Amino acid sequence: MPETLHCLIVGGGPAGLTAAIYLARFHLKVAVADDGNSRARQIPCTHNHAGFPEGIAGTELLERMRRQALKFGARFVDTHVDGLAIIPGGFEAGGCNGFGPARTVLLATGVTNRRPAIPEPLHADALRTGRLRYCPVCDGYEVTDLNVAVIGCGARAVTECIFLRSYTARLTLILDEGTELTEDDAARIHANGICIVRGRPTDFILDETGIHFAVSQGRMTFDTVYPALGSEIHSGLAASLGAALTDEGCIKVDAHQRTNVRGLYAAGDVVVGLDQISHAMGEAGVAATTIRNDLTAYEPILR
Ligand SMILES: Cc1cc2nc3c(=O)[nH]c(=O)nc-3n(C[C@H](O)[C@H](O)[C@H](O)COP(=O)(O)OP(=O)(O)OC[C@H]3O[C@@H](n4cnc5c(N)ncnc54)[C@H](O)[C@@H]3O)c2cc1C
């Protein structure tokens, strides 16, 4: 019989890996199940993550964290968890062969950005070269005074434009056809000197002069494009167990990262909050410590 885990972590991004390091160092039996699509993998080089003055690639950061978790005894299985069931004393996960049941589960499953119609490998090339960016909080600094387009619809795209306005005056909002701005949003866009173009961009091309695409009124070129199309939130496992979600679909947690389902915790982008590495790590530290303390409240863990 495989032994019972103190915690199964679903998701091996910055949140899941931070929790794995903490839990392993609490001398707890912990395993991470991950299907390998961390948003951090897409970061060519982060410049806002503290402690790395020259920046660090997302893949390198993840590799370092995974090594650190392994060093203290965390186990890993590269798999997609396709179901979670509540059983007496804990949880059972589908797709995690080799691991026993878990007393607790931490969901650190993240989100996926909705993409404009850019096929691979062009999408990856555009990310790598900074022609395509998804996170103004992360890398708005890098587009200071550049010619930037925000692709989106409605309030989300307006908010992103206004945020980027403090980095550059050369801003265009590419507003999805059929979308009408509220009077207030239209006034904010106008007051900030942001151009509006209507249409859904297609036929993307990259070259050394910029990123080019077609809209109904012709071809356009920018230094960088920010899609503001929202995200798919990976909260299906939580929902299947009856965990409460926000209207957007993020997992609701208390101040200690507990969901409303006993033994089920969540951290990182999948929880509502600032979608940043530092925030994911902070929430994971809180979650791991709560898990440890909640486990010992039921029965002492003695060495
Ligand atoms: C292009 C880009 C640039 C960014 N730049 C920065 C930056 O410079 N600074 C910064 O702070 N943040 C940046 N971010 C945001 C940052 O990447 C995220 O905030 C961070 O990765 C969130 O960590 P997480 O662990 O919550 O989720 P993720 O890193 O997305 O990890 C979630 C993991 O869970 C796995 N998973 C999901 N469901 C399952 C399942 N059912 N079974 C198994 N595994 C599952 C996924 O495959 C993934 O590996 C950027 C994001 C993007 C896309």
Side-chain angles (χ1 to χ4, degrees):
M1 270 295 275
E3 63 180 348
T4 299
L5 297 169
H6 288 109
C7 184
L8 172 68
I9 300 170
V10 187
L17 293 174
T18 300
I21 294 165
Y22 274 58
L23 288 163
R25 287 179 52 81
F26 290 147
H27 291 302
L28 297 180
K29 290 188 273 292
V30 55
V32 180
D34 182 50
D35 63 12
N37 290 312
S38 167
R39 284 212 305 147
R41 281 196 185 287
Q42 298 177 45
I43 309 174
C45 185
T46 171
H47 295 282
N48 76 342
H49 189 53
F52 297 93
E54 315 311 326
I56 183 166
T59 47
E60 167 73 10
L61 184 65
L62 291 172
E63 171 50 30
R64 287 184 188 209
M65 293 176 73
R66 187 169 170 134
R67 241 188 300 135
Q68 193 174 351
L70 277 167
K71 177 177 169 182
F72 294 108
R75 290 184 286 158
F76 284 83
V77 53
D78 296 334
T79 191
H80 179 76
V81 175
D82 52 21
L84 277 177
I86 296 175
I87 57 169
F91 300 85
E92 208 162 56
C96 282
N97 293 340
F99 291 127
R103 304 260 304 275
T104 64
V105 169
L106 172 64
L107 295 173
T109 41
V111 305
T112 302
N113 297 109
R114 291 194 195 105
R115 296 176 170 197
I118 310 180
E120 292 295 1
L122 195 65
H123 185 273
D125 286 347
L127 273 179
R128 186 177 43 77
T129 53
R131 297 298 187 194
L132 181 68
R133 299 178 182 276
Y134 279 93
C135 176
V137 172
C138 312
D139 50 26
Y141 185 90
E142 273 67 44
V143 303
T144 300
D145 294 333
L146 297 185
N147 185 20
V148 173
V150 172
I151 299 175
C153 47
R156 187 193 311 276
V158 171
T159 306
E160 196 139 321
C161 275
I162 304 293
F163 185 86
L164 280 163
R165 184 62 185 79
S166 61
Y167 295 100
T168 180
R170 299 162 67 201
L171 262 179
T172 302
L173 170 57
I174 315 287
L175 198 56
D176 204 14
E177 269 152 1
T179 307
E180 285 310 321
L181 294 183
T182 63
E183 250 178 58
D184 273 4
D185 281 345
R188 287 166 74 211
I189 289 290
H190 184 69
N192 280 281
I194 298 165
C195 305
I196 297 186
V197 168
R198 287 183 183 275
R200 187 166 296 181
T202 56
D203 194 16
F204 283 82
I205 292 174
L206 271 188
D207 66 20
E208 63 288 350
T209 67
I211 182 164
H212 316 265
F213 55 80
V215 281
S216 43
Q217 59 203 84
R219 290 200 70 78
M220 311 201 72
T221 300
F222 293 92
D223 294 313
T224 292
V225 162
Y226 279 91
L229 301 168
S231 305
E232 304 296 340
I233 297 153
H234 302 147
S235 52
L237 292 172
S240 73
L241 295 180
L245 307 183
T246 66
D247 290 345
E248 274 204 312
C250 293
I251 303 174
K252 284 189 182 173
V253 291
D254 69 9
H256 302 275
Q257 307 302 133
R258 297 182 189 99
T259 72
N260 58 312
V261 177
R262 184 169 161 159
L264 185 69
Y265 305 77
D269 286 0
V270 75
V271 170
V272 76
L274 186 68
D275 287 354
Q276 290 283 282
I277 297 168
S278 57
H279 197 64
M281 289 179 168
E283 287 187 344
V286 171
T289 308
T290 306
I291 289 168
R292 186 236 169 251
N293 291 341
D294 286 353
L295 281 169
T296 55
Y298 303 138
E299 94 188 44
I301 298 174
L302 303 174
R303 193 141 182 87

